[in-house]
Amino acid sequence: MSSATLDRPQPQAAPDAAPPMVELRGVSRRFEKKLDFAGKLARRLGAPVREEVVHAVDGVDLAIRRGEVVGLVGESGCGKSTLGRMVAGILPPTAGTILRDGRDVATLPPAEAREIKLRTQMIFQDPYASLNPRMRVADIVGEAPLVHGIVARSEFDAYVDEQLRRAGLDPAFKRRYPHQFSGGQRQRIGIARALAVKPDFLVCDEAVAALDVSIQAQILNLFMALRRELDLTYLFISHDLGVVEHLSDRVVIMYLGRVLEEAPAEEVFRRPNHPYTQSLLASVPRIEARKRAFSVVQGEIPSPLNPPSGCHFHPRCPHAMERCKAERPRLREIAPGHRSACHLNDAAAGTA
Amino acid sequence: MNGTAPPTLEVRNLRTHFFTRAGVVKAVDDVSFSVPRGKVLGLVGESGSGKSVTGFSVMGLVDPPGRVVSGEILFQGRDLTKLSEEEMRDLRGNRIAMIFQDPMMTLNPVLRIDTQMIETVLAHARVSREEARQRARDALGMVGIPSPEERLQSYPHQFSGGMRQRVAIAIALLHRPELIIADEPTTALDVTIQGQILAEVQKLSATTGTALIWITHDLSVVAGLADEIAVMYAGRIVEHGTVAEVLDRPLHPYTVGLIGSVPSRNRRGEPLRQIPGMTPSLLNLPPGCPFRARCPRAAEDCREEPPMREVVPGRDVRCFRPHLEAAEEATA
Ligand SMILES: Nc1ncnc2c1ncn2[C@@H]1O[C@H](COP(=O)(O)OP(=O)(O)OP(=O)(O)O)[C@@H](O)[C@H]1O
Ligand SMILES: Nc1ncnc2c1ncn2[C@@H]1O[C@H](COP(=O)(O)OP(=O)(O)O)[C@@H](O)[C@H]1O
Ligand code: SF4
Ligand code: SF4
Ligand SMILES: [Mg+2]
Ligand SMILES: [Mg+2]
């Protein structure tokens, strides 16, 4: 492969391989924060008050290949969940294109759009909030497959049992309600429900964040076993770098709505390129550490309502230069499969 | 040993139980530990293991239906369980302070930061308002809040979560307490912000001699912060030692399992070593070792409750069959 700079994420496989399972091209999502009453009044009286706009996701290019586990990392409010919901098809982008198996999902005929939506399932942090408290486990897991004709009424019971068993739950519990389970078991119910409609792609949004360490390990092992068994593809969103490192083939780092770095997992953890990724990794507490000075990234996470100009990271970056305040660095390939958005890479290559 | 001075805090055989309608919850059941001046004890365990109730017991903040049933809580040699509510109130926020996971447990949302901090100073110290304000400003500076003078005039909602937690820590520091109990104060924060707070706290305990109990479910946090670690399970401390001892040569099967399930302790992509099952309910816990349903080493005698005992010099473990092989290997 030539080392020419690629502006679009190209699948790293042979050029004639199948299109990525999911591809994002220049995808953005803006939210308008409507004025409250006081704001509206102030504006009517002539004050220069504008409705605030959050660029939750700002021009993201990303390709996820079939069978891959892509880890999406970033600090609170950087747009991970918003990106995940767009990828899962439950939130439309305000700009850009999302392709599923090479086809623009916005222009699919309704029947196909429905099918694609079913094949993409989302698993959330708080399984309790996403499970209907008045439904029995059997119905929580079996309802969608029944409605969508994946299973016949006569096979319902056997089908539900199989789903529960696969998620590590005793089918004997299927008459129970969600509140009768522990946090880890509820997450298993969420997983059983998602898998019951035979998806090929799972978007997991902080799916183990609320669990105790020992239970977290059980659920992570389940995710990995299911991946092999069912040939699943994952977008795994987490703020926990240890979890992401363990699970992912490729890692994407976000900051204030933008992707700053993307590379194979080992590469990101061994040779982080972006100054933000480097500081993030240095901040992670490590169990191997002993009584040591914690390394510190300066400053707070800026408000997404009013992000810094140029490179969003410049107010906290130890290497910031004049240019960083003015010019947004492009995400570009710095090594095969490794992309980073930092002006330092131009200086290093002597092409500034 | 550290001479003749008593440790800042010594807890002996503490039991705190909740007498609920469904039965007795033995949230803290025979817990003993001590923290010397200027040292950091990491109190580690999964949710429901009794960490917070231990902290609340020391602070005298356990409300009915809960109460300290037995044991001693010696603060600089004085037994806190024998003090009146008024005497306790005098110590709290003054010589003993607590930092909570949610900073809004400390902060009043409708008061400006300066008002809250000045009032806290004046509650325990006879100084002028101006002097109190100066102390507040210094405390904010100490926890790394830029332009403290401006910040003093803000309300809590004008701060980010990380800043709010710093203000709560600054309030805890106002009277230079001899003991701080921090209950998962960085769990809800981003890692870069957590790193900043850990760095400040570490500096503080080293420079002021404050004894610190850092409660967390995250072994990695205390690995770099603490001097000693006490691991809690089902209301008991099951293992206690220096950070290096506990993390490099864990003796209790639960500690071994807990460390094993941390992703970075496993090979990338391979199944994590997991502990089967889940934590037992503390309501009407059956007798015997509470870990036995999940323990790979459990045997017939584990139906009896294992006592805390020194299985290797200086290593207290609550288990009949500790991982002594590991300890022997390390000393061999
Ligand atoms: N429905 C909405 N209306 C307005 N703003 C929103 C909405 N959803 C998200 N945002 C804003 O978009 C930004 C990104 O939010 P998002 O939930 O995607 O972050 P995140 O990375 O998932 O954070 P966390 O780690 O805290 O879950 C935030 O500033 C958030 O406040
Ligand atoms: N007010 C209360 N009433 C009854 N049980 C309680 C109360 N507070 C705590 N507990 C119980 O005490 C045990 C320990 O709780 P806690 O100390 O909060 O755990 P941790 O902080 O380790 O997560 C749990 O079983 C919990 O349910
Ligand atoms: S572009 Fe500039 S400010 Fe941004 S990360 Fe690179 S050096 Fe730092
Ligand atoms: S006492 Fe028995 S059951 Fe309990 S931890 Fe030790 S070996 Fe396991
Ligand atoms: Mg989120
Ligand atoms: Mg707690």
Side-chain angles (χ1 to χ4, degrees):
Chain A
M1 202 162 114
S2 86
S3 62
T5 304
L6 301 171
D7 287 331
R8 288 262 171 249
Q10 299 289 328
Q12 253 75 57
D16 57 340
M21 170 162 240
V22 181
E23 188 176 350
L24 274 59
R25 292 189 184 157
V27 165
S28 296
R29 174 72 210 199
R30 304 171 354 139
F31 292 106
E32 264 142 57
K33 289 228 160 114
K34 292 271 177 272
L35 288 180
D36 58 7
F37 179 73
K40 279 184 188 150
L41 192 66
R43 187 165 62 176
R44 184 143 350 132
L45 296 173
V49 183
R50 282 183 304 130
E51 294 195 334
E52 292 183 311
V53 176
V54 190
H55 286 262
V57 172
D58 184 12
V60 167
D61 296 332
L62 178 69
I64 301 172
R65 291 182 290 278
R66 190 168 287 279
E68 242 188 338
V69 176
V70 174
L72 179 58
V73 182
E75 294 181 279
S76 186
C78 73
K80 305 181 294 295
S81 297
T82 306
L83 187 71
R85 287 160 66 207
M86 291 193 287
V87 168
I90 58 181
L91 180 77
T94 45
T97 313
I98 299 177
L99 305 159
R100 179 77 197 250
D101 300 319
R103 300 169 66 203
D104 184 348
V105 294
T107 59
L108 288 178
E112 277 179 66
R114 250 196 321 276
E115 197 229 304
I116 288 287
K117 224 170 173 167
L118 217 53
R119 276 173 40 210
T120 310
Q121 289 293 311
M122 201 149 172
I123 291 169
F124 299 93
Q125 164 167 2
D126 181 1
Y128 202 50
S130 62
L131 301 176
N132 184 339
R134 279 182 294 275
M135 274 167 80
R136 291 179 196 277
V137 168
D139 297 316
I140 289 175
V141 172
E143 186 183 49
L146 203 60
V147 168
H148 294 284
I150 293 170
V151 63
R153 202 7 95 206
S154 58
E155 289 149 26
F156 181 84
D157 271 309
Y159 190 76
V160 166
D161 290 0
E162 184 197 328
Q163 306 308 312
L164 291 176
R165 226 175 273 121
R166 195 164 56 200
L169 285 164
D170 187 343
F173 292 155
K174 68 183 172 180
R175 302 262 156 259
R176 294 200 187 169
Y177 294 93
H179 73 265
Q180 294 170 298
F181 293 88
S182 71
Q185 287 173 322
R186 279 184 213 133
Q187 196 54 286
R188 291 181 191 274
I189 299 172
I191 293 168
R193 175 182 60 179
L195 294 178
V197 293
K198 300 190 189 292
D200 54 2
F201 181 40
L202 291 185
V203 177
C204 303
D205 190 356
E206 301 284 3
V208 295
L211 305 176
D212 270 323
V213 193
S214 69
I215 307 301
Q216 175 178 298
Q218 296 173 1
I219 300 295
L220 289 174
N221 283 346
L222 176 62
F223 277 131
M224 287 191 284
L226 290 170
R227 173 196 188 180
R228 282 187 297 270
E229 191 184 320
L230 302 173
D231 258 333
L232 293 170
T233 303
Y234 288 92
L235 177 63
F236 201 91
I237 300 173
S238 175
H239 69 280
D240 186 330
L241 283 140
V243 166
V244 165
E245 177 176 16
H246 188 77
L247 212 68
S248 311
D249 302 313
R250 210 144 51 84
V251 174
V252 175
I253 314 274
M254 271 182 93
Y255 190 74
L256 285 181
R258 298 177 183 168
V259 172
L260 295 191
E261 184 159 10
E262 182 202 323
E266 291 207 33
E267 179 91 357
V268 165
F269 289 95
R270 283 219 199 118
R271 281 180 292 278
N273 172 271
H274 200 282
Y276 173 65
T277 313
Q278 292 168 359
S279 356
L280 197 63
L281 291 179
S283 298
V284 176
R286 298 233 155 238
I287 194 167
E288 294 78 19
R290 293 292 170 269
K291 203 69 180 180
R292 53 129 193 176
F294 286 91
S295 90
V296 161
V297 192
Q298 297 303 320
E300 284 187 81
I301 304 162
S303 158
L305 277 171
N306 192 10
S309 60
C311 172
H312 282 348
F313 188 55
H314 84 253
R316 306 174 80 190
C317 180
H319 311 290
M321 317 165 271
E322 263 322 298
R323 181 183 176 196
C324 305
K325 293 183 197 155
E327 194 187 326
R328 169 178 180 171
R330 278 186 314 131
L331 184 64
R332 63 179 191 81
E333 191 158 69
I334 53 159
H338 191 158
R339 301 193 303 154
S340 176
C342 172
H343 292 313
L344 287 175
N345 292 318
D346 294 350
T351 55
Chain B
M1 299 312 291
N2 41 15
T4 47
T8 302
L9 181 73
E10 184 170 4
V11 171
R12 289 189 193 150
N13 308 106
L14 177 70
R15 291 179 204 270
T16 305
H17 297 174
F18 290 88
F19 299 87
T20 68
R21 225 176 298 159
V24 180
V25 177
K26 297 183 178 172
V28 175
D29 210 23
D30 195 15
V31 159
S32 304
F33 61 87
S34 68
V35 201
R37 206 175 164 271
K39 295 290 180 192
V40 183
L41 171 72
L43 192 57
V44 184
E46 297 184 285
S47 64
S49 58
K51 307 181 296 294
S52 296
V53 174
T54 302
F56 290 139
S57 303
V58 174
M59 295 295 292
L61 290 175
V62 178
D63 292 323
R67 72 184 154 82
V68 173
V69 197
S70 61
E72 290 170 296
I73 302 171
L74 303 170
F75 174 65
Q76 298 181 328
R78 195 147 70 118
D79 189 353
L80 301 185
T81 63
K82 303 252 168 13
L83 297 192
S84 69
E85 179 46 36
E86 203 187 318
E87 290 169 304
M88 262 326 276
R89 215 174 304 139
D90 208 44
L91 284 180
R92 260 199 309 266
N94 183 13
R95 303 185 50 206
I96 309 178
M98 187 148 177
I99 306 166
F100 303 92
Q101 177 167 350
D102 178 359
M104 293 316 285
M105 297 265 292
T106 306
L107 300 174
N108 185 330
V110 301
L111 292 182
R112 259 172 44 171
I113 300 297
D114 49 1
T115 316
Q116 309 195 30
M117 292 186 79
I118 289 168
E119 267 168 28
T120 310
V121 174
L122 295 178
H124 297 288
R126 256 184 247 144
V127 295
S128 69
R129 271 197 98 74
E130 196 31 57
E131 158 106 53
R133 196 183 171 82
Q134 180 60 42
R135 283 206 200 171
R137 205 179 303 137
D138 292 347
L140 288 183
M142 226 187 308
V143 294
I145 291 190
S147 39
E149 184 51 50
E150 252 164 68
R151 294 303 198 163
L152 273 176
Q153 296 167 42
S154 321
Y155 289 89
H157 75 264
Q158 295 170 305
F159 290 94
S160 66
M163 282 292 218
R164 247 178 255 156
Q165 193 56 279
R166 274 164 207 251
V167 175
I169 294 173
I171 290 178
L173 294 175
L174 277 174
H175 294 283
R176 306 224 158 193
E178 280 99 345
L179 173 67
I180 296 181
I181 300 174
D183 190 359
E184 313 226 20
T186 57
T187 301
L189 302 177
D190 280 310
V191 286
T192 60
I193 309 302
Q194 167 172 280
Q196 293 169 356
I197 289 182
L198 290 175
E200 298 295 343
V201 164
Q202 199 167 43
K203 242 189 286 167
L204 276 167
S205 85
T207 55
T208 62
T210 300
L212 184 65
I213 299 177
W214 195 272
I215 295 177
T216 179
H217 66 277
D218 189 344
L219 283 169
S220 310
V221 166
V222 286
L225 179 70
D227 299 286
E228 294 191 0
I229 292 183
V231 181
M232 283 193 83
Y233 189 78
R236 299 147 172 86
I237 289 178
V238 294
E239 170 153 24
H240 187 174
T242 65
V243 170
E245 283 168 347
V246 173
L247 294 185
D248 297 337
R249 298 181 292 284
L251 296 175
H252 195 283
Y254 174 62
T255 318
V256 171
L258 206 55
I259 295 172
S261 54
V262 172
S264 72
R265 276 294 167 100
N266 288 265
R267 284 182 62 123
R268 239 174 59 75
E270 293 198 352
L272 298 163
R273 280 163 284 163
Q274 61 180 44
I275 305 175
M278 52 193 188
T279 42
S281 157
L282 293 187
L283 185 69
N284 306 324
L285 191 69
C289 175
F291 190 57
R292 72 177 191 278
R294 308 174 76 186
C295 181
R297 300 187 150 216
E300 200 49 41
D301 55 346
C302 305
R303 288 174 188 283
E304 302 278 319
E305 163 111 37
M308 190 69 151
R309 59 191 177 106
E310 195 174 32
V311 295
V312 190
R315 302 290 309 276
D316 289 338
V317 182
R318 211 183 256 279
C319 169
F320 292 122
R321 251 175 298 288
H323 284 252
L324 289 173
E325 321 82 83
E328 276 153 20
E329 253 166 54
T331 47

